[in-house]
Amino acid sequence: NAGVTQTPKFRVLKTGQSMTLLCAQDMNHEYMYWYRQDPGMGLRLIHYSVGEGTTAKGEVPDGYNVSRLKKQNFLLGLESAAPSQTSVYFCASSYPNWDREEAFFGQGTRLTVV
Amino acid sequence: DAKTTQPPSMDCAEGRAANLPCNHSTISGNEYVYWYRQIHSQGPQYIIHGLKNNETNEMASLIITEDRKSSTLILPHATLRDTAVYYCIVRVPNNDMRFGAGTRLTVKP
């Protein structure tokens, strides 16, 4: 049971380049989330999804797009990377059932935009 | 979702109980209280959650006041490996999950 897997673990981008971060979960979870964490700060929610084919904006959605074409995958896209998007990105997934509710997190993707 | 207030940092002696407070004075009736922790730069880890009653699991205990305006996470016998940032979150079902700044707990030998 792999849990939540993020790909890649590290990436360096030049300003203006695009990339996609992949989050995959094998727990049949309905909910998935993307967060960013800047140095010394807490996690901030970028986008989330409550099911296949649905997405919603979080606290800091600007500059990012997401897609949830398959239940097990949640993709985070940066169309034109900026230095302000240098951060550690975490993905998470959870059940919507509140008796079993705990979110599982991936190990993060460290992104540097130069 | 209700906002939470936590002290930015706390120290605890190894082997002693660590009591981490959280204020959530605007919590509504259907909001749960969750605790997560983040060790170094790893992904956050679930600890415990509750609605009204006190809860206990193999990691910790959660004490929620009767008016539900505050709660305390208790690590009964803190170890050096419990050094982490602890996040208190309140949320409603079928909603997103937002983190605050958390409490940085340092367990000292």
Side-chain angles (χ1 to χ4, degrees):
Chain A
N1 188 341
V4 178
T5 303
Q6 293 184 227
T7 308
K9 290 183 171 49
F10 302 93
R11 185 74 186 267
V12 178
L13 283 180
K14 293 183 178 179
T15 298
Q17 285 185 318
S18 63
M19 78 164 294
T20 300
L21 282 67
L22 170 64
C23 177
Q25 53 94 4
D26 61 2
M27 296 171 282
N28 202 35
H29 285 166
E30 291 291 337
Y31 286 22
M32 296 187 75
Y33 315 80
W34 274 110
Y35 295 88
R36 62 176 287 174
Q37 185 173 34
D38 299 328
M41 297 183 65
L43 284 76
R44 291 185 292 169
L45 182 65
I46 305 172
H47 287 279
Y48 66 103
S49 169
V50 300
E52 183 178 319
T54 69
T55 63
K57 294 181 179 180
E59 303 169 88
V60 288
D62 294 342
Y64 304 95
N65 57 75
V66 288
S67 64
R68 183 95 182 271
L69 299 179
K70 294 183 178 181
K71 186 177 183 179
Q72 63 268 34
N73 295 335
F74 194 28
L75 280 64
L76 177 70
L78 286 74
E79 292 185 348
S80 179
S84 61
Q85 294 178 304
T86 293
S87 190
V88 180
Y89 292 83
F90 289 101
C91 174
S93 70
S94 73
Y95 291 107
N97 184 328
W98 289 88
D99 287 340
R100 308 166 62 185
E101 183 68 18
E102 77 175 87
F104 292 84
F105 284 79
Q107 287 307 298
T109 295
R110 188 173 299 275
L111 175 67
T112 303
V113 183
V114 297
Chain B
D1 286 354
K3 293 184 178 179
T4 62
T5 303
Q6 299 178 252
S9 63
M10 293 181 63
D11 291 341
C12 177
E14 188 178 20
R16 305 298 291 268
N19 296 282
L20 290 87
C22 180
N23 287 321
H24 30 80
S25 58
T26 60
I27 192 170
S28 59
N30 62 346
E31 287 184 312
Y32 284 68
V33 180
Y34 288 79
W35 285 84
Y36 284 77
R37 73 180 182 183
Q38 187 175 26
I39 297 174
H40 194 44
S41 55
Q42 298 176 17
Q45 175 190 24
Y46 166 85
I47 301 173
I48 199 167
H49 76 280
L51 181 62
K52 295 181 181 179
N53 300 322
N54 298 338
E55 302 288 344
T56 296
N57 63 21
E58 64 278 3
M59 289 182 67
S61 295
L62 173 61
I63 308 298
I64 303 174
T65 59
E66 191 170 346
D67 63 7
R68 301 207 327 121
K69 293 185 176 182
S70 66
S71 60
T72 301
L73 177 75
I74 301 172
L75 307 178
H77 305 287
T79 70
L80 298 179
R81 287 179 291 183
D82 291 322
T83 292
V85 178
Y86 287 78
Y87 297 98
C88 170
I89 301 164
V90 294
R91 65 182 290 210
V92 297
N94 301 322
N95 205 336
D96 59 28
M97 184 168 64
R98 303 193 180 196
F99 289 71
T103 296
R104 181 172 297 278
L105 175 69
T106 302
V107 181
K108 298 185 174 181

